[in-house]
Amino acid sequence: MATRTKNQVKTRHTLPQKTRTQMTDLLNTTLASVFDLQSQTKQAHWNVKGDDFYQLHKLFDELAEIVEDYVDTVAERITALGGLACGTVRMAASGSMLAEYPTEVLDSMKHVELLADRYAAFGTHARESIDTADKAGDQATADVYTEITRGIDKALYFLEAHLQA
Ligand SMILES: [Fe+2]
């Protein structure tokens, strides 16, 4: 049976276990939130109505695909550190930092606003986590967060471009 300490398996990875445990906890918060963000973006993709319906329907789907890649990147960074990835839908629901998506029928620009709020919140978390990982001495995790921050910033720009004219 694998040796576990808290959320870690025994590994030859030479980062200190304390650092790997700290990063695993941080990355699991990110995993829950990014999985939630992916499903909320799909929720908007399916339910959007009104002006610019078709282009927003497609844009939201493209954003969901980008975010879906991050779900896998984050989960596999956890396991690369010897950690246990907490990646079910229920785990995401209980661990996400994002507000739930409203269920009323909403027009297209309201969906853009709701998504922009969530991309901005998640982007802030990712950007702050670059420094957290760097200070902990885990530059590879900092690099994962840098990549995610760049992608989420671009997604936010694509969303807000509908709101800024
Ligand atoms: Fe679809």
Side-chain angles (χ1 to χ4, degrees):
M1 190 182 147
T3 306
R4 285 178 192 280
T5 308
K6 202 181 172 196
N7 55 13
Q8 299 287 310
V9 293
K10 193 170 161 53
T11 172
R12 289 169 182 76
H13 202 295
T14 53
L15 267 182
Q17 189 195 294
K18 183 167 168 283
T19 307
R20 290 186 288 103
T21 300
Q22 183 196 350
M23 289 300 101
T24 296
D25 288 344
L26 176 67
L27 286 158
N28 267 317
T29 299
T30 310
L31 177 58
S33 303
V34 79
F35 197 1
D36 190 15
L37 186 65
Q38 191 267 344
S39 72
Q40 292 200 26
T41 308
K42 280 297 221 183
Q43 178 75 5
H45 161 73
W46 293 317
N47 289 296
V48 65
K49 312 279 184 205
D51 291 345
D52 297 321
F53 158 76
Y54 193 59
Q55 74 99 0
L56 288 174
H57 177 72
K58 290 214 288 199
L59 172 64
F60 296 165
D61 210 25
E62 286 168 20
L63 296 182
E65 271 181 34
I66 291 165
V67 171
E68 191 172 18
D69 283 346
Y70 299 151
V71 174
D72 206 50
T73 300
V74 170
E76 290 178 2
R77 181 63 196 155
I78 293 169
T79 48
L81 290 167
L84 179 73
C86 299
T88 71
V89 172
R90 285 175 187 78
M91 290 168 188
S94 67
S96 175
M97 62 176 50
L98 301 178
E100 177 58 295
Y101 205 82
T103 51
E104 309 93 80
V105 175
L106 300 163
D107 79 7
S108 54
M109 285 308 128
K110 189 66 193 167
H111 280 291
V112 173
E113 275 179 40
L114 286 164
L115 286 181
D117 290 345
R118 285 152 180 77
Y119 277 73
F122 180 73
T124 301
H125 160 73
R127 190 169 57 252
E128 289 172 354
S129 298
I130 299 169
D131 276 350
T132 306
D134 199 39
K135 287 194 181 101
D138 183 356
Q139 281 75 26
T141 295
D143 182 63
V144 166
Y145 279 118
T146 302
E147 179 196 337
I148 293 172
T149 299
R150 194 167 54 240
I152 296 295
D153 283 354
K154 185 174 175 184
L156 180 60
Y157 148 53
F158 272 60
L159 290 166
E160 283 197 314
H162 297 87
L163 308 170
Q164 292 167 326

